[in-house]
Amino acid sequence: MAYFSFRACCGFMRRFNDYNLIAPIYDLLGKLVYRGALHQSQLHFLSELPKGKSILIIGGGTGRIIQPVLELAQPSALYYLEMSGKMIALSQNRLKGLSDHPVQFIHGTQDSLAPNLKFDVVITPFFFDQFTYFRLAKIFLQLNQHCEPGSYWVWSDFVTPKKAYHRFLMKLMIWFFKASTNLDTDQVYDIYPVFELRNWKCLRKAPYFDGFIETALFQKQS
Ligand SMILES: C[S@@+](CC[C@H](N)C(=O)[O-])C[C@H]1O[C@@H](n2cnc3c(N)ncnc32)[C@H](O)[C@@H]1O
């Protein structure tokens, strides 16, 4: 608590990872810098997911991922959990005119999920790379409680930069997102051990943008 209060004060009392300010330009920025790799990486494993299941998307942003998930995974229920009110509004706009869809929007965080809700698939698109290691591990554990053995997890994030121009881009992004969203971290972390520790097996992974972006499909083991 004391740690949180200290950090909150440093952020001039703004909450962390607040995307309301940049929501209208977020997709455009991503397209300009990463030429579609952000979106493409999130779609990589969608066609391999079992159909007719219950899916959670957390931190989905403007909702560009919703339509592909509906088409490729044909979920029975799709929970769209977003902390930013502006992002939720943009996402809801995309479904205007569609009367019959299984999407339930939840304006909140991992703490807003009813404890008894279970998901067959969890999708975290560029979500974990916003947090300190302590925070991301804690959120992972919370989401893990909503999954039974056999569940799938589609993860996509930036990874530790290994090339000079990736390091430059990482510095630029951290500077930009600190200023615009009060980003909660100074670096990205290796997420694989976090999954492995809780018995999630990486089935396959794929690199994007010359290895600066990674996506992976995990399955929870019994
Ligand atoms: C880096 S953006 C990624 C947006 C989108 N997935 C994409 O790739 O275009 C992170 C998103 O996570 C949301 N977010 C941050 N913390 C969250 C939390 N604890 N629970 C739910 N959403 C959160 C932000 O509002 C933002 O829309």
Side-chain angles (χ1 to χ4, degrees), residues 3 7-8 10-12 14-22 26 83 126-132 135-136 157-158 169-189:
Y3 171 75
R7 296 208 64 190
C10 293
F12 304 103
R14 269 187 73 196
R15 70 177 176 173
F16 292 113
N17 303 324
D18 182 348
Y19 277 73
N20 280 333
L21 192 66
I22 61 163
Y26 179 83
M83 189 172 84
F126 297 90
F127 175 69
F128 282 127
D129 57 11
Q130 314 171 75
F131 301 104
T132 58
R135 283 274 298 150
L136 78 84
D157 267 335
F158 286 97
L169 279 175
M170 181 62 82
K171 278 195 180 143
L172 202 64
M173 279 196 299
I174 287 175
W175 171 80
F176 175 76
F177 285 109
K178 283 257 176 212
S180 59
T181 71
N182 200 17
L183 179 70
D184 181 26
T185 185
D186 296 316
Q187 63 177 101
V188 293
Y189 299 91

Side-chain angles (χ1 to χ4, degrees), residues 28-51:
L28 179 67
L29 282 179
K31 272 185 215 164
L32 285 177
V33 181
Y34 293 104
R35 304 188 303 269
L38 291 178
H39 189 56
Q40 286 309 317
S41 62
Q42 300 174 35
L43 310 186
H44 192 96
F45 292 112
L46 295 185
S47 57
E48 296 181 30
L49 295 173
K51 304 213 174 3

Side-chain angles (χ1 to χ4, degrees), residues 75-140:
S76 56
L78 174 53
Y79 296 87
Y80 193 83
L81 176 56
E82 242 295 335
M83 189 172 84
S84 156
K86 290 272 162 52
M87 290 293 202
I88 283 264
L90 290 169
S91 306
Q92 284 170 327
N93 247 344
R94 290 179 190 269
L95 293 187
K96 261 194 186 152
L98 264 188
S99 53
D100 191 24
H101 61 74
V103 186
Q104 201 172 308
F105 291 97
I106 307 173
H107 182 197
T109 69
Q110 58 286 345
D111 298 325
S112 317
L113 292 171
N116 58 339
L117 259 183
K118 295 286 177 201
F119 309 110
D120 303 303
V121 179
V122 173
I123 302 179
T124 52
F126 297 90
F127 175 69
F128 282 127
D129 57 11
Q130 314 171 75
F131 301 104
T132 58
Y133 189 77
F134 174 78
R135 283 274 298 150
L136 78 84
K138 190 166 173 257
I139 296 173
F140 178 88

